[in-house]
Amino acid sequence: MNCSGCSPIYPIEGQGTVYLRPVSPALLEALQTKGRHVDYSEKMLWFHFSDVQELQDRMEEIIEMEKLLAISLAVQLKFANDPLTDDLEKEWISLSMQHARIKYADIVSTILERQFTSYMQPIVDASECIIGYEFLLRPAEHGRAFSSYELFEVARETGLHSFLDRTARIKAIETSAKYLPRGVKRFVNFLPSSIYNPEYCLTHTFEAIERLSLDPKDFVFEVVETEQIQQLSTLQHIFEVYRSRGMSVALDDVGAGFSTIELMNRLEPDFVKIDRSLIDYCDQDEVKQQKIRNIVQLSNRFGGKVLAEGVERMEEFEFCRSVGIELAQGYYFGKPAAQPPDGPYSGPSYRAAR
């Protein structure tokens, strides 16, 4: 895990110079054999490019050489209009990562220019009163269309997932400050793979909450992870840091993918969100019903509140209530929107619009 993307990263444009390290005599020979002009020193190789297409062609050529020669190269770009500096120590990334930034230049621009916003989806209690909202990443008005999955996958491939994860969290916090009063829960997603050191990587999140004079107790940070969690101790530490600041934590998509019941038992989150695949037509499926009951029973052992995701029918909601599920979320209660449907939140008895 790392916080790559925490330092400034600029869009790929114009002409400039590619720097490569370490110096590989085999790579240098291969490039010269192809008639490429390459300068070099003891520490690095470099060559110039005149436009983005030439840059992409040369990068693809070197990636193939990297594979054939079984070497691992780091790369850095400097553009003709960059400020003059001799510092080449802070911005080295892998060759494949840099190539991805060129390949997905439009999506990278969307990330770097923060062309996204937070939509809010209501979360209700058993009486259908809204007790909070989940904040979901959506394209900014007049911005490039994207799916959240696409955006985060490109962010992973380009080394920008920490930058995207952090800025999306702050956007959610700022949106919540605009529309919600104290006492209303704000469920905000985070990627554990983007946080290698919670005390450092979460500093911006905590500063945003403090800057906006928000109550930490109103925040629930939920794990959203499409990859298997390799270091459970790291995630447990992240939970501890959030909780030490007075915030709650949630485990998303329990019952599907990598969010297993075993993981739930080991992490003991404050909120357990049952995956929509189990909720869909659960009123008609005895296998799903038993799995849901098991999750509820196990959550009760450590005091976790259970939330049913993806509720689209009254029958699903009624079954969930019948087995002791306290909270629910889904299109039945409201779709994600840029703000609450009737304007700013109007109080604890505010009911979901259907």
Side-chain angles (χ1 to χ4, degrees):
M1 299 182 189
N2 60 60
C3 275
S4 63
C6 292
S7 59
I9 302 167
Y10 301 98
I12 295 167
E13 56 187 14
Q15 58 185 349
T17 305
V18 176
Y19 296 88
L20 297 166
R21 71 179 190 189
V23 175
S24 166
L27 175 62
L28 182 60
E29 182 180 355
L31 288 167
Q32 291 173 337
T33 299
K34 283 183 171 289
R36 306 300 189 195
H37 177 74
V38 181
D39 294 305
Y40 62 95
S41 67
E42 292 182 359
K43 294 183 178 181
M44 66 188 76
L45 313 172
W46 65 91
F47 62 85
H48 304 291
F49 60 91
S50 58
D51 55 42
V52 173
Q53 185 59 57
E54 181 186 0
L55 171 62
Q56 184 165 347
D57 292 344
R58 296 289 297 276
M59 293 286 283
E60 290 175 355
E61 181 179 77
I62 295 171
I63 284 173
E64 290 304 312
M65 293 180 182
E66 183 184 46
K67 293 176 183 177
L68 289 172
L69 299 172
I71 56 178
S72 181
L73 296 169
V75 63
Q76 183 174 154
L77 300 186
K78 290 291 182 181
F79 296 96
N81 58 354
D82 282 351
L84 291 175
T85 175
D86 294 327
D87 186 3
L88 289 174
E89 293 304 318
K90 296 181 180 179
E91 302 171 359
W92 293 92
I93 61 174
S94 71
L95 192 61
S96 61
M97 195 177 289
Q98 184 63 75
H99 181 251
R101 291 186 185 183
I102 301 169
K103 181 178 179 181
Y104 301 112
D106 289 345
I107 303 178
V108 168
S109 293
T110 296
I111 296 170
L112 296 180
E113 295 170 14
R114 297 174 172 84
Q115 295 178 12
F116 47 79
T117 188
S118 280
Y119 273 34
M120 307 165 62
Q121 186 173 30
I123 293 171
V124 305
D125 61 16
S127 62
E128 297 186 55
C129 290
I130 296 176
I131 60 89
Y133 290 85
E134 180 178 359
F135 289 80
L136 302 164
L137 200 65
R138 294 292 185 270
E141 187 177 6
H142 308 305
R144 179 188 179 278
F146 62 80
S147 70
S148 296
Y149 176 81
E150 170 192 41
L151 205 66
F152 274 98
E153 284 303 300
V154 170
R156 286 179 191 278
E157 194 170 340
T158 56
L160 297 174
H161 63 298
S162 293
F163 176 86
L164 176 59
D165 189 43
R166 186 185 77 234
T167 52
R169 283 198 307 273
I170 293 173
K171 174 64 72 174
I173 292 166
E174 293 173 343
T175 302
S176 81
K178 183 176 181 180
Y179 293 110
L180 303 179
R182 287 195 172 213
V184 181
K185 293 294 184 186
R186 304 125 202 264
F187 285 70
V188 180
N189 297 320
F190 77 93
L191 289 170
S193 61
S194 74
I195 302 170
Y196 79 98
N197 181 337
E199 285 86 354
Y200 173 73
C201 293
L202 295 178
T203 299
H204 297 84
T205 299
F206 301 146
E207 288 178 347
I209 292 172
E210 183 176 357
R211 168 172 53 88
L212 296 166
S213 300
L214 301 175
D215 188 348
K217 293 180 181 178
D218 290 337
F219 285 90
V220 181
F221 287 92
E222 61 179 84
V223 181
V224 177
E225 188 63 91
T226 56
E227 297 178 352
Q228 188 170 8
I229 297 168
Q230 300 296 331
Q231 296 293 333
L232 184 60
S233 60
T234 301
L235 183 52
Q236 288 172 324
H237 183 43
I238 294 171
F239 274 23
E240 290 170 1
V241 172
Y242 275 127
R243 284 168 164 160
S244 72
R245 296 299 190 108
M247 304 164 197
S248 299
V249 290
L251 184 61
D252 197 19
D253 301 331
V254 173
F258 297 116
S259 291
T260 63
I261 293 177
E262 179 185 358
L263 183 62
M264 176 192 74
N265 283 330
R266 295 184 66 181
L267 290 173
E268 297 188 349
D270 302 298
F271 292 85
V272 174
K273 302 187 74 174
I274 300 181
D275 186 71
R276 63 185 65 246
S277 64
L278 284 182
I279 301 301
D280 186 38
Y281 283 89
C282 60
D283 54 299
Q284 300 176 20
D285 189 322
E286 292 183 1
V287 174
K288 289 183 178 181
Q289 290 175 7
Q290 188 56 52
K291 289 181 179 179
I292 291 170
R293 288 191 183 96
N294 289 342
I295 293 172
V296 172
Q297 290 171 2
L298 292 170
S299 298
N300 288 339
R301 292 181 185 176
F302 57 81
K305 293 184 178 180
V306 181
L307 187 157
E309 291 189 288
V311 176
E312 297 189 3
R313 301 163 52 249
M314 171 55 85
E315 292 83 0
E316 295 163 352
F317 185 46
E318 288 177 340
F319 171 77
C320 290
R321 285 190 296 191
S322 73
V323 297
I325 292 179
E326 303 176 54
L327 304 171
Q329 175 183 355
Y331 281 13
Y332 182 71
F333 310 107
K335 295 182 179 180
Q339 64 182 60
D342 296 324
Y345 185 91
S346 58
S349 61
Y350 188 65
R351 295 177 67 84
R354 290 195 279 103

